């Protein structure tokens, strides 16, 4: 399995906006000038005719930057609908809770949420998450050096999900391949669609089997879930399982990379954390505020509405800038500084309101277990001084492509 993960290059999961290192100065300028900004596509080179770039949208498009207005949009999901996700994500994933509005969303989320409660997760920590982390670290702990993205953060969450789903060990390699191909959608749409179909065919007999003979895993939980006499049908389960790949694998591999990057580039804070693990919780929250793995989400205005003094027409596309909200200076002192000693308050990296990330407790647990293991097992961990300028990049999804490190073995 390691071979497969290492054979894939994380940079394949390309960003159509190119190699953006630091979008934050532009986001801050935009937030200060217009907390709700109408995007003028006349000034942007869009990809009309070029299938690799987004085409000019038919409706008005806005971006929302301030913490206050981002929260307002995400809280009011009657006015700001999630249905726009159906056009892109829906084709690949199927009809998922991400694209549902109320009351369908509330009802459906109630069915799947049972498996993601913090208490339920405790049973996965030692046997699944810590075991996965230790297996990966075993592969390089004796070497004195590693490239932590390829050898650690990239393969880590997909293996956790495979175990949580209770997939047979001999299937891990193909599951990982389909997962990586599905989330590399911007690199190859046809391949992503083929993987989406392959995943459905693969899950079908497993779901059948878990319905008749449930065991202690997430697919069994979903197959058995019942609320007010309703259950999930097969297509709903397949869609949810596919959603876990972009929602639960891509975000977490990136946030774990961002966490390690933040610590490695702030060695004094890494040492403070190594010495006092009670700082772990706020270090994770500060990482999520400072460098969220996902910078933008979207909504569609379901009616004419006034937002931040701007008249927004029904049908408008709303880009919601989680990254700009997390660095809003009216909310955070010195927002561009990574500081694990601050109280990051309510960052927006997991969204807000009814669609608040369902996997946030799992994501936090994975980041904590990963950081604990590396701090415990790799003494004197530091960036490789001969390494090739590792940095976080991306405009929609953000994380480092490489993290070359050395340590005492
Ligand atoms: C640091 C890691 C993660 C980040 C930053 C993150 C971020 C987000 C955000 C911003 C949303 C809201 C999207 C919207 O409102 O349009 C969301 C929703 C969701 N996330 Fe996460 N996520 C992470 C990890 C996970 C994990 C590990 C899982 C599951 C294994 C997961 C499952 C979901 C699901 C199912 C939804 C849809 C919830 C709904 O629509 O009601 N996420 N996530």
């Amino acid at each position: 399995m390691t071979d497969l993960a290492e054979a894939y290059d994380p940079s394949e999961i390309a960003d159509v906006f190119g190699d953006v290192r630091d979008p934050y100065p532009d986001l801050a300028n935009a937030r200060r000038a217009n907390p709700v900004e109408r995007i003028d596509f006349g000034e942007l080179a869009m990809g009309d005719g070029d299938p690799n770039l987004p085409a000019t949208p038919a409706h008005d498009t806005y971006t929302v930057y301030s913490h206050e207005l981002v929260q307002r949009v995400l809280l009011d999901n009657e006015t700001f609908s999630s249905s726009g996700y159906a056009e892109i994500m829906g084709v690949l994933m199927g009809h998922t809770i991400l694209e549902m509005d109320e009351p369908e969303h509330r009802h459906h989320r109630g069915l799947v949420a049972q498996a993601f409660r913090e208490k339920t997760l405790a049973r996965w920590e030692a046997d699944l998450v810590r075991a996965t982390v230790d297996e990966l670290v075993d592969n390089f702990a004796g070497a004195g050096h590693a490239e932590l993205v390829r050898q650690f953060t990239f393969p880590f969450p997909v293996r956790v999900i495979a175990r949580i789903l209770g997939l047979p060990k001999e299937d891990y390699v193909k599951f990982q391949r389909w997962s990586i191909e599905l989330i590399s959608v911007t690199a190859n749409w046809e391949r992503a669609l083929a993987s989406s179909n392959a995943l459905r065919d693969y899950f079908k007999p497993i779901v059948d089997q878990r319905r008749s003979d449930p065991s202690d895993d997430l697919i069994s939980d979903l197959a058995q879930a019942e609320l007010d006499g309703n259950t999930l049908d097969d297509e709903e389960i397949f869609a949810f399982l596919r959603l876990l790949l972009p929602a639960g694998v891509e975000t977490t591999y990136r946030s774990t990379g961002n966490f390690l990057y933040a610590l490695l580039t702030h060695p004094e804070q890494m040492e403070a954390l190594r010495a006092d693990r009670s700082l772990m919780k706020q270090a994770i929250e500060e990482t999520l505020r400072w460098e969220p793995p996902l910078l933008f989400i979207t909504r569609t205005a379901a009616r004419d509405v006034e937002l931040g003094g701007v008249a927004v027409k029904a049908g408008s596309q709303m880009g919601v800038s989680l990254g700009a909200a997390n660095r809003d200076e009216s909310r955070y002192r010195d927002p561009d500084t990574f500081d694990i000693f601050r109280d990051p308050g309510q960052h927006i990296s997991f969204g807000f309101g009814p669609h608040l990330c369902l996997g946030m407790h799992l994501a936090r647990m994975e980041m904590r277990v990963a950081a604990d293991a590396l701090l415990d097992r790799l003494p004197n961990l530091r960036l490789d001084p001969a390494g090739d300028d590792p940095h976080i990049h991306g405009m929609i999804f953000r994380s480092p492509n490489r993290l070359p490190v050395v340590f005492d073995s």
Side-chain angles (χ1 to χ4, degrees):
M1 191 139 164
T2 309
D3 293 348
L4 177 71
E6 290 179 17
Y8 273 83
D9 183 347
S11 63
E12 268 199 45
I13 306 175
D15 192 318
V16 288
F17 292 94
D19 183 22
V20 179
R21 273 200 185 205
D22 186 3
Y24 287 102
D26 285 348
L27 291 177
N29 287 337
R31 186 183 57 237
R32 284 176 204 131
N34 295 302
V36 178
E37 181 188 23
R38 184 167 182 278
I39 308 298
D40 182 353
F41 286 95
E43 289 179 6
L44 295 175
M46 297 303 285
D48 299 329
D50 178 345
N52 296 315
L53 290 172
T56 306
H59 294 282
D60 287 353
T61 300
Y62 295 86
T63 305
V64 187
Y65 297 102
S66 74
H67 195 283
E68 185 198 341
L69 294 177
V70 162
Q71 277 194 331
R72 199 174 130 195
V73 167
L74 297 182
L75 199 56
D76 180 359
N77 68 334
E78 284 184 10
T79 307
F80 298 103
S81 158
S82 293
S83 59
Y85 285 124
E87 278 172 35
I88 320 149
M89 303 279 286
V91 180
L92 271 187
M93 310 292 151
H95 187 48
T96 69
I97 53 172
L98 192 67
E99 66 184 48
M100 291 177 192
D101 291 326
E102 309 311 335
E104 183 189 24
H105 170 259
R106 188 177 315 111
H107 171 75
H108 200 101
R109 184 170 161 127
L111 276 165
V112 292
Q114 301 163 20
F116 285 92
R117 280 193 297 260
E118 216 170 349
K119 269 196 207 138
T120 319
L121 294 185
R123 76 180 203 259
W124 293 337
E125 178 167 340
D127 296 351
L128 297 185
V129 181
R130 181 73 203 214
T132 304
V133 165
D134 279 335
E135 267 174 31
L136 290 167
V137 178
D138 287 347
N139 291 330
F140 56 77
H145 62 89
E147 200 287 90
L148 289 179
V149 175
R150 281 198 176 207
Q151 292 182 268
F152 187 67
T153 60
F154 195 53
F156 164 47
V158 70
R159 289 188 185 198
V160 169
I161 294 282
R163 289 182 170 194
I164 286 176
L165 297 181
L167 304 183
K169 216 166 181 157
E170 61 274 19
D171 292 349
Y172 282 6
V173 171
K174 63 182 175 192
F175 176 69
Q176 182 160 347
R177 181 173 355 98
W178 289 324
S179 305
I180 293 171
E181 288 176 357
L182 189 73
I183 61 181
S184 321
V185 53
T186 52
N188 190 331
W189 169 263
E190 293 300 328
R191 194 179 63 174
L193 205 56
S195 295
S196 169
N197 290 329
L199 280 163
R200 178 210 275 109
D201 296 344
Y202 171 68
F203 284 136
K204 171 80 182 119
I206 300 180
V207 171
D208 287 347
Q209 189 260 335
R210 305 290 157 82
R211 279 198 196 284
S212 54
D213 184 16
S215 54
D216 185 21
D217 58 62
L218 182 63
I219 297 184
S220 301
D221 289 352
L222 295 170
Q224 304 300 312
E226 192 181 327
L227 191 70
D228 303 331
N230 292 299
T231 54
L232 295 164
D233 67 28
D234 282 5
E235 281 304 322
E236 289 170 332
I237 294 181
F238 303 149
F240 185 71
L241 294 176
R242 281 184 296 225
L243 174 64
L244 291 182
L245 302 173
V249 170
E250 174 149 25
T251 50
T252 310
Y253 110 69
R254 291 184 186 276
S255 66
T256 308
N258 291 349
F259 191 21
L260 298 176
Y261 174 86
L263 295 176
L264 288 161
T265 53
H266 298 81
E268 66 304 337
Q269 296 191 49
M270 182 160 76
E271 283 322 303
L273 179 62
R274 192 194 290 278
D276 177 4
R277 302 299 168 89
S278 71
L279 291 168
M280 183 64 84
K281 191 170 182 298
Q282 69 200 61
I284 289 172
E285 297 312 305
E286 172 64 354
T287 301
L288 289 166
R289 181 199 69 81
W290 184 63
E291 276 290 4
L294 174 62
L295 228 54
F296 287 91
I297 57 178
T298 75
R299 291 292 186 268
T300 305
R303 60 177 177 84
D304 291 353
V305 60
E306 184 263 302
L307 184 71
V310 175
V312 173
K313 284 207 194 76
S316 299
Q317 301 301 308
M318 313 297 294
V320 180
S321 178
L322 308 179
N326 276 347
R327 295 203 188 189
D328 188 333
E329 56 269 344
S330 70
R331 182 89 189 192
Y332 304 103
R333 179 187 41 82
D334 198 6
D336 293 328
T337 301
F338 174 72
D339 176 6
I340 65 169
F341 300 102
R342 81 161 83 224
D343 171 7
Q346 186 154 34
H347 62 70
I348 298 285
S349 305
F350 288 121
F352 192 69
H355 287 271
L356 179 68
C357 176
L358 197 61
M360 65 182 181
H361 300 307
L362 175 60
R364 288 173 167 135
M365 187 250 275
E366 289 182 274
M367 290 171 72
R368 170 170 56 76
V369 172
D372 264 335
L374 295 186
L375 293 174
D376 289 343
R377 296 191 57 189
L378 306 179
N380 200 13
L381 176 66
R382 58 207 186 275
L383 279 176
D384 184 347
D388 182 17
D389 183 26
H391 58 272
I392 293 178
H393 76 148
M395 188 67 200
I396 305 288
F397 285 104
R398 281 179 68 74
S399 61
N401 269 354
R402 290 180 306 281
L403 280 176
V405 292
V406 287
F407 43 88
D408 301 344
S409 55

